Amino acid sequence: MPPNELYQFSVVSALMDGVASTGVPLRQVLAHGSHGLGTFRSMRGELIALDGECWQMRHDGSVRAADLTEGSPTEDFSPFAMVTDFAAEASTRAAISAKDGVEGVLARLAPNANNTHVAFRIDGAFKAITVRTAQGQCFPGEGLKDVASRQVTVTLPASRGTVVGFRSPQFLQGVAVAGVHMHYIDEGRTAGGHVLALESDGEVEVQVAELWRTVMDLPRGDAAFNAAPLALNDGGIKAVEG
Amino acid sequence: MPPNELYQFSVVSALMDGVASTGVPLRQVLAHGSHGLGTFRSMRGELIALDGECWQMRHDGSVRAADLTEGSPTEDFSPFAMVTDFAAEASTRAAISAKDGVEGVLARLAPNANNTHVAFRIDGAFKAITVRTAQGQCFPGEGLKDVASRQVTVTLPASRGTVVGFRSPQFLQGVAVAGVHMHYIDEGRTAGGHVLALESDGEVEVQVAELWRTVMDLPRGDAAFNAAPLALNDGGIKAVEG
């Protein structure tokens, strides 16, 4: 796809309803974009795609490169992911004292994108960055809210690395995560996860791009998706993806 | 685009908020699909695309071919439209006694598409088909609910023609119209509109296709879109698009 178009597979409400047993080969997702986030089959761990490489950040604290080899016994599949070929349109250096501070920086860099997706990355040093990693479903169909109740949360002190994120508009809550949704991986590719809190160590580099076109594939042939209620659970999504 | 992918420009919630002054050239929309529906700038009339031709059905009962000529003084723009290159995957002949009957036929023809868009067309004779046509906004920013309060409704007796429609999943209410959304044009291209009620004269031909990929463009550079709340108004959409 051209740069700065969003590709997404499935919707967040499907994860809320526990639709995570099938998905698509991750290599197919990454064919649409080199920068993004998502999850793995059975919601095992957190997915980050950065500069065309892709990792699974697991609840035991380990990080492994995703297996994109077709037909490999450990080939990775994703039941939900969002990616883009990120090309920064604006950037700034900013000190960020809390997660809310990211919103302010994005609003300054993309004032005309209130009602569309924004992709961003943040590179630099963090005094502290708190990440969670999902352990995965205990049984097929277990919803994200229950999966998240067993998530592992750690605070990484003095970490250098990259945040990959999207800010999505409120009217797409349930399709995506409304507001800021960020995953992090450190420079050594040894730690990371879904970002719950962060504090930069001095200024970090924030780069953004507005995404005005979305290509969305839904899970064709997935009986669990076809049977899912997919009712909007705004509070639930905020609780688990906030 | 390949057949049976949905292209949509903007979202229904933007019409609810009155975002209809700008839009995109209709020729750009129709480059993505030959079968679809939508509206025109300022919500003047109803749009139907059928076999690659496109008409504006107006509140005075007239029907005119849309002007797709770039730079023409009467070139048409659309603030909201959904189109696909329709290729029927299943079809049946059925007698349909009311609008609700369409849902039943679609459910039989596309049982695995509960949670994705379905495109359909219905060809044949109707004992009666009731259509509305929007007069358009009285002022820029007037919302669809108020625009619809002045709609013109007519019942066409003994009409032959084609219904072009989409059935969209509940979780996309506000992005599209959840449930069945249909526009009609008669065989002579002299009458039609947004379908409120219908009764077939004997059996009509119903053809469907499942749409698993959506390409959505949002109104870049449209200050009204950027400022719109786009809050979900489920009851309002049902009232005006039902």
Side-chain angles (χ1 to χ4, degrees), chain A residues 7 11 13 32 89 110-117 169-175 210-222 224-232, chain B residues 7 11 13 32 89 110-117 169-175 210-222 224-232:
Chain A
Y7 174 82
V11 294
S13 290
H32 297 287
E89 295 172 329
N112 301 311
N114 294 339
N115 280 324
T116 196
H117 299 280
Q170 186 61 42
F171 77 93
L172 291 174
Q173 178 73 306
V175 173
E210 301 176 7
L211 313 181
W212 291 92
R213 173 171 287 184
T214 298
V215 177
M216 178 173 70
D217 282 337
L218 293 172
R220 183 173 204 162
D222 184 333
F225 181 75
N226 196 48
L230 303 180
L232 181 60
Chain B
Y7 174 81
V11 295
S13 291
H32 298 287
E89 295 172 329
N112 300 313
N114 295 339
N115 281 324
T116 196
H117 299 280
Q170 187 61 44
F171 77 93
L172 291 174
Q173 179 72 308
V175 173
E210 302 175 6
L211 313 182
W212 291 92
R213 173 171 287 184
T214 298
V215 177
M216 178 172 71
D217 283 335
L218 293 174
R220 183 172 204 164
D222 185 333
F225 181 76
N226 196 49
L230 302 180
L232 182 59

Side-chain angles (χ1 to χ4, degrees), chain B residues 140-216:
Chain B
E142 188 182 28
L144 176 54
K145 199 171 173 194
D146 289 334
V147 172
S149 71
R150 296 185 307 274
Q151 71 190 16
V152 174
T153 301
V154 296
T155 297
L156 308 172
S159 184
R160 284 192 69 86
T162 301
V163 169
V164 166
F166 294 97
R167 187 192 71 191
S168 298
Q170 187 61 44
F171 77 93
L172 291 174
Q173 179 72 308
V175 173
V177 174
V180 164
H181 185 192
M182 309 186 269
H183 286 189
Y184 174 75
I185 192 164
D186 73 353
E187 212 167 45
R189 312 312 187 209
T190 61
H194 173 102
V195 178
L196 297 176
L198 59 79
E199 181 184 0
S200 68
D201 185 4
E203 290 186 340
V204 287
E205 178 81 7
V206 183
Q207 300 177 76
V208 308
E210 302 175 6
L211 313 182
W212 291 92
R213 173 171 287 184
T214 298
V215 177
M216 178 172 71

